[in-house]
Amino acid sequence: MAESQSASHADKSLEVLAHWNGRMREKLRHLVTDELIAEHARDPLGQHSDALERVLNYLRRAPQPGKYAVLCTDPYREYRIVVLAGARGQSARFLDERRFSTEKEALHAVFLERLKELRRG
Amino acid sequence: MADTKESIIPAKRIDGYTDRISVAPGERIRFMVSCQGVARYRADIVRLIHGDLNPAGPGFKEAEIASTVSGEYPGRNQPVRPGSHIEIDDARAMLNLSGAFSLHAFIMPTTPQAGRQGIVTRWRRDRAAGYALVLDESGRLALWLGDASGKSEKVAVEGGFIPWTWYSVGASYDPQTGIAIVARQAVVNSANSLIGRVAAPGQSAVAQKPLGRLEVSADAPFVIAGYAAGGPGARTVVEAHFNGKIEAPRVYSRALDASEFEALARGVEPDPRGLAARWDFAAEIGANGVPTDVISDRSGNGLNGRCVNMPARAMTGHGWTAREENYVHAPAQYGAIHFHDDDLEDAGWDADFEWAVPAGTKSDVYAVRLRGEGVERRVPFFIRPPRGTASARVAFLAPTASYMAYANFRISVEADVGQAILGQTPVLNPDDLYLAEHPEYGLSLYDLHSDMSGVCYSSRLRPILNMAPSFLGANGLWGLPADLDLVDWLNARGYQYDVVTDEDLHREGLALLRPYKVIVTGTHPEYWSGAMLDAMEEYLATGGRLMYLGGNGFYWVTTYHPEKPHLIEVRRGESGSRAWQARPGEYYHSTTGERGGLWRNRGRAPQKLVGVGFSAQGFDESSYYRRMSDSFDERVRFIFEGVGRDELVGNFGLVGGGAAGSEIDRYDLTLGTPPGAMLLAASEGHSDNYPHVVEEIMFMYPGVGGTQDPAVRADMVYFTTPGGGAVFSTGSISWCGSLSHNNYENNVSRITANVLERFMSDQPMK
Ligand SMILES: [Fe+2]
């Protein structure tokens, strides 16, 4: 009888995905320059250079557990970074103590956090 | 920096909902409220004018109304109990089988490893008494037995279930011999399950165990797809909800042997002796679908039941062969019901107070404002004019079906692709995170159930946190708060208007629209029933006038439950911008029998009604319109009065910085835009976060984003209709976000006013 949870029925495509992620992250690391970061700081929204769009398209599609989001803690006045649980019924948490007074600053701060992780591997 | 453990969500809350969403003067509306950590609260009725707190805009505006509601109320907590199941009406306790018995059903478990789940039970967990066929904590099929003295036994078949795969499951017990049997057998055909026959889902597995003598009597309700926490009460509390499908459950007052369970798996009727109940979930299927909670017992014993919390009916059963996909034509193949542990039809709260709306109360957008201990909540509702009358030339058609479809929307918190769709990291608010933590407030039609099946029903009898005047979602101003931009503009410019809702239009049809010179839509009237479309089409074809000031309108086939005005259904079909797709054979709505999906795939593309239809969506920024040659035609001079020849229209605004954005619609003769329609202006300069809609992607090729694809645009369209009517469409969700710019003095405001004033007049359009 086939059983859904036994080790022999693990999803083998996860191995392929891990290879893909490694290659993709390596490529994207080479795209990250001071100019690219400055471009994002100028405007985190809208159309960017092809290089920045490639980096953003990858980062935005990351799996939800542990993914960063911005929480508006005081409408149009205060924003903070949160780490999503990614599972229904579980709590998100604040990443740190920082408070941002504009949405754009908070969005850029999230971008910088994600680049830190990208650089790590 | 170190992570902080600081709590994100405020501990004190007030939540509420109303029994109706549209109420006429002279009628009553009831308010259900639940508090956490708030001992007393104050309630007042307010008229909502504007909600968005953006300091660049008009700011928050409401007007308090003197009413009998105003006063202080004690706060109390009212629980929500999600999860769907069936309760059998067994007043004479015929199923309290203390002798030999057997249980059988076909099941397709979707989360077999999610913990204990009741299948067919007459069990109370508090005393471990009665009998229950369940999935146990290890995902095995098990029979639980317990007597009145507290003695209980459990028998399980080793091995688990493959999710989304059909099985025949049964169990029997004979106190004479003391033998219990539990039997499981996969019943996979080429189409019915996730896997096919080549995956070798396995032979039958049977556990047979001598238990000795047990008298399994219990004072417990008979439940399908869960079991009772305790004894029968005013409202049975059911837990251990089953995720997945159950079909054709039955009960015998004798012990079937292993060969009889094998026969049942093959579809062979065993000796009918001792048949105590046999439920056929297809029995209620008729020409108009299966819009009922009723469950019929076909054994002759009259042990009928009813569904609680709207499990999905009209779902493929284990005998589905994929030749027929309309369940009305093949009911025998659609005898399954899909249950979910997070279904919710009605929070079931007791009312805290009610309001008899006095005669003469102005038709408008209202809310009850609840305040206590620093916490505030507004629960909106709509007051329509007295039935059969109109009190203005203009009616704002509040898109309440769309509000319900998006109710408690979780995509930006839960979906991996959420940020990719938005084209940005989402900017959430504390209610988004409260919903993430609290599934019990129910899901939107964009979300997935805990077993990853799509949510096809939405009810308004529950707190809807994003239907609030100042709610700022991750995709910007959306739904009611965005529509208040229009309401505020109507107020600021001094126009008299009535407010009617989708629900009123669905029920009353053309008669509701007929008295008005102009109907004005909200920003996102996406969800339309056939009756609503019929009424609007007839109104426009016979002299009525419509201002469609939104985007992605008239898109999804939507049905209202014929007996439950609070409930809509959407089955997302094979194309369209869709959060999920209905499983094969499940495109037909249970509530009416209609095929679900996009209206354009049922011959009613939005272009045929309003000249434009969905073409792209994006949420990073909005753009502007450029005037096209038609806009200089003498016939539309009234629309552009006061707008310069070279002016860009709407290159400003509070939603993404422009009047053309979020979700945008296009003129297209091949999709049925009326041949004489005038294309007044078109937007340009959208980013690649605006991809061309998927229903228009045939072959796949790169370059379908806003910077490369000419279909990524919003078109402003005008045409006249027979009998002196006309339609003006802007095809953009963000249009109304530009109305208040520069103290309402701007070309979006001017064009909207020019059209509204001309449409309000008695003079026919020509
Ligand atoms: Fe939409």
Side-chain angles (χ1 to χ4, degrees), chain A residues 42-101:
Chain A
R42 276 196 299 280
D43 196 350
L45 302 177
Q47 190 68 35
H48 304 106
S49 66
D50 287 357
L52 180 51
E53 285 295 307
R54 275 185 177 269
V55 172
L56 289 171
N57 283 342
Y58 173 79
L59 296 176
R60 286 170 184 157
R61 283 174 61 178
Q64 215 64 357
K67 200 167 181 172
Y68 300 132
V70 172
L71 179 69
C72 178
T73 43
D74 186 0
Y76 297 98
R77 284 207 199 111
E78 187 188 271
Y79 302 85
R80 293 182 67 180
I81 301 176
V82 292
V83 184
L84 299 175
R88 195 173 282 166
Q90 292 179 22
S91 315
R93 60 184 170 82
F94 287 119
L95 174 70
D96 54 32
E97 297 293 337
R98 283 181 294 169
R99 289 167 159 79
F100 305 92
S101 56

Side-chain angles (χ1 to χ4, degrees), chain A residues 1-6 9 40 43-48 50 53 56-57 59-65 67-99 103-104 106-108 110-111 113-114 116, chain B residues 1-8 52-55 112-113 159-163 167 184 186 199-203 342 410-420 423-430 433 435-439 443 447-450 472 477 619-621 686-689 707:
Chain A
M1 181 73 195
E3 284 170 47
S4 57
Q5 299 296 307
S6 63
H9 296 99
H40 189 274
D43 196 350
L45 302 177
Q47 190 68 35
H48 304 106
D50 287 357
E53 285 295 307
L56 289 171
N57 283 342
L59 296 176
R60 286 170 184 157
R61 283 174 61 178
Q64 215 64 357
K67 200 167 181 172
Y68 300 132
V70 172
L71 179 69
C72 178
T73 43
D74 186 0
Y76 297 98
R77 284 207 199 111
E78 187 188 271
Y79 302 85
R80 293 182 67 180
I81 301 176
V82 292
V83 184
L84 299 175
R88 195 173 282 166
Q90 292 179 22
S91 315
R93 60 184 170 82
F94 287 119
L95 174 70
D96 54 32
E97 297 293 337
R98 283 181 294 169
R99 289 167 159 79
E103 193 175 302
K104 282 188 175 179
L107 292 174
H108 187 59
V110 167
F111 181 64
E113 290 296 326
R114 289 175 173 171
K116 258 195 240 169
Chain B
M1 250 176 275
D3 293 348
T4 80
K5 291 274 172 280
E6 196 182 339
S7 167
I8 290 192
D52 183 15
L53 303 171
N54 192 333
Q113 297 290 337
F161 288 81
I162 301 171
Y167 292 83
R184 178 197 69 211
Q203 300 304 310
D342 50 12
R410 294 156 190 268
I411 288 280
S412 38
V413 179
E414 290 187 347
D416 289 345
V417 297
Q419 304 195 7
Q424 68 167 86
T425 300
V427 180
L428 306 169
N429 71 55
L433 295 182
L435 285 174
E437 260 188 43
H438 293 268
L443 308 169
D447 299 312
L448 302 179
H449 288 291
S450 64
L472 196 55
L477 215 56
F619 303 97
D620 53 340
E621 58 180 17
H686 296 284
S687 76
D688 284 332
N689 293 313
T707 66

Side-chain angles (χ1 to χ4, degrees), chain B residues 406 446 478 524 526-527 551-552 555-556 577 614 617 663 733:
Chain B
Y406 280 93
Y446 288 78
W478 199 263
H524 195 23
E526 178 178 0
Y527 291 84
N552 180 222
Y555 191 62
W556 285 108
S577 175
F614 194 33
Q617 72 175 31
E663 298 189 2
I733 283 183

